[in-house]
Amino acid sequence: MILSWLIIVVLILAGTYYLMNAREIQLFGGITSHVDTDEKVVALTFDDGPTDKTGEILELLDTYDATATFFLIGKEMEEHPEEVAQIIEAGHGIGNHSYSHKRMIFKSPSFIEKEIRRTDALIRKAGYDGEIDFRPPNGKKLVMLPYYLYKHDKDTIMWNLEPDSEFTSVEDKVRYVADHVEGGSIILMHPMYDGSGKEMKAVEGILKELSSKGYTFVTVKELKEYEQD
Ligand SMILES: [Zn+2]
């Protein structure tokens, strides 16, 4: 008896853990980790910030004629309004990455609502009028967050290539993306708090490698339009 209860508890915990981190499924609403297309288009996505690294990132994107999507943190937007304006001005996509970057699992509905609404309001105040997708802090979501997003018609944007989770060297990160990229890939990078400059080098390497393979870099919103049935 005790053993069967134990098995049930372990199964529930394993299921919860799986669901919390899953990139392809969630309980409610749309979730996108990539787009199915034969076209050579990819979306480069940057999480966190904005920080004073923004100008450097925008210059790099400009060099490769690339547009990207920035999932910004509300609190950081308040501290770096000029950087937000620069991102919008350059025509990139902006997504909501919560206000305080606290994990949004086992949190109350009012906490979730406040985090998302506050950040959406900052994005609108900055003059961005595109659709605002959401990316969960640390990619974690369970029940209440997907439910809120579903109720408010917001898509959850995940990714299918995240070199930072598996590699530390610039070369390995670039090679991993170059080897695994496909039309419709969504790539996650973190150049905003890049003290060593290594992440920026990795972003540059990816822009260079993928451009030479004939890929174009578009926003997540544009990428979704390539979805084939
Ligand atoms: Zn983040």
Side-chain angles (χ1 to χ4, degrees):
M1 188 62 190
I2 291 175
L3 186 66
S4 53
W5 274 111
L6 195 65
I7 290 171
I8 290 170
V9 169
V10 167
L11 284 178
I12 290 173
L13 287 176
T16 305
Y17 183 77
Y18 172 74
L19 203 57
M20 179 173 85
N21 294 298
R23 295 199 305 233
E24 310 273 345
I25 58 155
Q26 64 184 356
L27 291 178
F28 309 96
I31 182 165
T32 303
S33 65
H34 70 282
V35 160
D36 290 314
T37 174
D38 297 329
E39 302 287 325
K40 288 188 135 186
V41 282
V42 293
L44 199 49
T45 63
F46 301 127
D47 275 12
D48 313 328
T51 63
D52 52 16
K53 286 265 162 197
T54 305
E56 213 181 311
I57 300 169
L58 294 178
E59 252 173 61
L60 188 56
L61 290 170
D62 193 42
T63 307
Y64 287 89
D65 211 6
T67 39
T69 305
F70 292 77
F71 287 92
L72 301 178
I73 299 170
K75 214 169 147 209
E76 298 271 34
M77 293 178 67
E78 286 175 343
E79 284 161 32
H80 301 273
E82 264 172 44
E83 280 80 357
V84 181
Q86 285 167 6
I87 295 170
I88 296 172
E89 168 91 40
H92 300 287
I94 288 187
N96 183 327
H97 193 41
S98 83
Y99 180 80
S100 64
H101 206 271
K102 293 199 176 84
R103 288 184 180 202
M104 289 172 113
I105 46 171
F106 309 118
K107 292 285 194 314
S108 70
S110 70
F111 175 85
I112 288 169
E113 173 164 27
K114 224 182 268 170
E115 287 276 320
I116 296 175
R117 283 183 63 171
R118 217 169 156 185
T119 305
D120 267 3
L122 286 163
I123 294 172
R124 289 291 180 235
K125 205 178 119 197
Y128 185 74
D129 53 14
E131 136 193 345
I132 307 174
D133 293 327
F134 187 77
R135 175 171 281 167
N138 302 101
K140 309 267 188 259
K141 71 251 161 325
L142 262 180
V143 182
M144 291 319 295
L145 174 62
Y147 186 69
Y148 177 89
L149 296 170
Y150 163 68
K151 279 288 179 195
H152 293 83
D153 254 334
K154 290 173 112 42
D155 263 1
T156 306
I157 304 300
M158 303 295 278
W159 57 88
N160 66 347
L161 293 177
E162 186 193 11
D164 295 347
S165 67
E166 291 173 66
F167 305 102
T168 48
S169 84
V170 173
E171 294 72 27
D172 287 346
K173 288 181 190 185
V174 175
R175 191 178 314 120
Y176 170 76
V177 174
D179 288 350
H180 293 86
V181 70
E182 284 180 325
S185 288
I186 299 179
I187 305 160
L188 165 59
M189 299 295 292
H190 306 83
M192 284 290 181
Y193 307 106
D194 182 24
S196 67
K198 276 174 72 179
E199 185 73 349
M200 205 66 111
K201 284 253 170 341
V203 173
E204 184 169 11
I206 289 166
L207 284 163
K208 195 172 166 191
E209 274 293 313
L210 269 49
S211 297
S212 74
K213 284 172 175 268
Y215 282 94
T216 312
F217 297 87
V218 299
T219 64
V220 168
K221 184 177 181 276
E222 288 162 343
L223 191 71
K224 284 192 219 168
E225 285 159 20
Y226 284 90
E227 179 82 59
Q228 290 163 351
D229 299 325

